[in-house]
Amino acid sequence: MNGPFPPHDPGHVPVMLAEVMEYLAPHDGGRYVDGTFGGGGYARAILASSNCQLWGIDRDPAAIARGAALAPTFPDGHGGTRLHLLHGGFADMAALLAEGGVAKVDGIVLDLGVSSYQIDEAERGFSFRMDGPLDMRMNDTGPTAADVVNTLPEEELADIIYHYGEERLSRRVARAIVSARAEAPLLRTTQLADVVRSVVRPDRSGIDPATRTFQGLRIHVNDELGQIRAVLEQAPALLAPGGRLVVVSFHSLEDRLVKQAMLRAAGRVPAPSRHDPRAMTERAGPTGFRLLTGRPIRPGAEETHRNPRARSARLRAMECIASPSIAASEPAA
């Protein structure tokens, strides 16, 4: 890499930056995608490391505005910039890139966590540490978290909190929400957090009892898992030979999707039972991808001490070793 990382924006600390750069391995003349532009932490480092082009994608208009201010600091030498911004969700990555005339890239990085900017802006409603409207939307369209908690039936609320928040006391939480909203609508983050804390006691982890409920609602409001599934289906086909996909996830639901997608791309699907008739006919042929991480890479102790938000991060990476279309046409070994 050509020199040290550039100073990051103090409002945004990119998680596992050194590890992301190691596995992405940007090079001169390369084309890269930061599918979760956010504060531009990864984008800055990639563009500073080599004479490459980068497309930054984000569905948050505020993130695109930050990128527009950053773009002039990376000129292309022809009156333009090496940073290209695309407003939209990463689930539409292939279409967004196609509109810009990009078919193949040399690397894609995804940070599946909520942007530090979004967490720290009380008016976005992502955090219960500050009072704000119960919003949680990553863009400015669609139902808010307040709409969800004040209108959905108790059973549906419980399912959201259980499946997406992994809260084992989800039914107790949903019952408390329905009871509280009968008295007055839940419109503020602190209101909801207090309701959750009234029925969920702190545990040994030290994590606030409201954390899992807020996670579940945020994932539901933004269809985060659906978005992740969509981008993981598209990303392999966008990689040129030698191109790499690097994904940083922050909870088990995300990491499981990333792990499964990369295993499938590398042809490492679980073998069916020997009693299953498919065992006689199905064999995984060459796929054109290889895993770069057997197990998820975790941040070091120094980083987690410096940036507590990194403590749950997991990084996985894979590389395209041949064009998928070419690999598919080769005879199975």
Side-chain angles (χ1 to χ4, degrees), residues 159-311:
D159 287 345
I160 289 170
I161 295 167
Y162 179 77
H163 291 295
Y164 297 154
E166 300 180 293
E167 172 58 77
R168 63 184 181 82
L169 299 177
S170 61
R171 298 201 179 283
R172 186 182 299 179
V173 172
R175 192 178 310 120
I177 289 173
V178 170
S179 177
R181 78 190 189 191
E183 299 294 327
L186 298 173
L187 302 176
R188 311 291 296 181
T189 55
T190 51
Q191 276 182 288
L192 177 60
D194 287 343
V195 170
V196 177
R197 293 179 189 128
S198 72
V199 294
V200 180
R201 294 181 178 180
D203 58 26
R204 296 178 182 176
S205 70
I207 296 174
D208 191 288
T211 300
R212 291 180 289 272
T213 293
F214 270 66
Q215 173 185 297
L217 291 170
R218 191 200 76 226
I219 290 174
H220 174 76
V221 165
N222 296 288
D223 185 27
E224 291 180 28
L225 299 186
Q227 298 277 312
I228 293 169
R229 290 188 186 95
V231 73
L232 291 175
E233 288 177 1
Q234 298 171 44
L238 292 169
L239 293 175
R244 295 182 169 191
L245 172 64
V246 180
V247 185
V248 179
S249 60
F250 290 84
H251 57 74
S252 60
L253 297 174
E254 296 172 342
D255 182 58
R256 191 176 302 124
L257 292 177
V258 177
K259 175 184 177 180
Q260 291 171 348
M262 289 189 176
L263 287 173
R264 285 195 301 271
R268 297 191 182 184
V269 294
S273 163
R274 62 190 179 90
H275 301 294
D276 190 328
R278 291 176 298 172
M280 301 294 291
T281 58
E282 292 189 3
R283 293 182 61 195
T287 62
F289 297 92
R290 71 181 180 99
L291 301 180
L292 299 176
T293 52
R295 293 183 177 181
I297 307 301
R298 303 299 298 267
E302 181 182 346
E303 178 173 5
T304 56
H305 176 74
R306 186 177 67 251
N307 180 16
R309 289 174 180 167
R311 65 180 181 268

Side-chain angles (χ1 to χ4, degrees), residues 1-6 43-52 74 82:
M1 191 168 60
N2 304 332
F5 301 135
R44 287 171 182 266
I46 294 166
L47 289 165
S49 73
S50 57
N51 185 18
C52 62
F74 295 104
R82 294 187 289 121

Side-chain angles (χ1 to χ4, degrees), residues 109-124:
V109 61
L110 299 169
D111 176 339
L112 303 181
V114 181
S115 166
S116 300
Y117 287 100
Q118 293 172 334
I119 292 174
D120 293 339
E121 293 174 2
E123 63 271 19
R124 301 299 296 272

Side-chain angles (χ1 to χ4, degrees), residues 128-143:
F128 44 78
R129 292 187 290 107
M130 302 168 287
D131 184 49
L134 196 53
D135 193 319
M136 298 193 191
R137 295 174 299 173
M138 291 183 180
N139 55 19
D140 54 4
T141 61

Side-chain angles (χ1 to χ4, degrees), residues 33-37 55-58 88-90 93 108-111:
V33 177
D34 182 348
T36 48
F37 183 79
W55 281 260
I57 297 174
D58 208 295
F90 58 51
M93 180 179 290
I108 298 169
V109 61
L110 299 169
D111 176 339

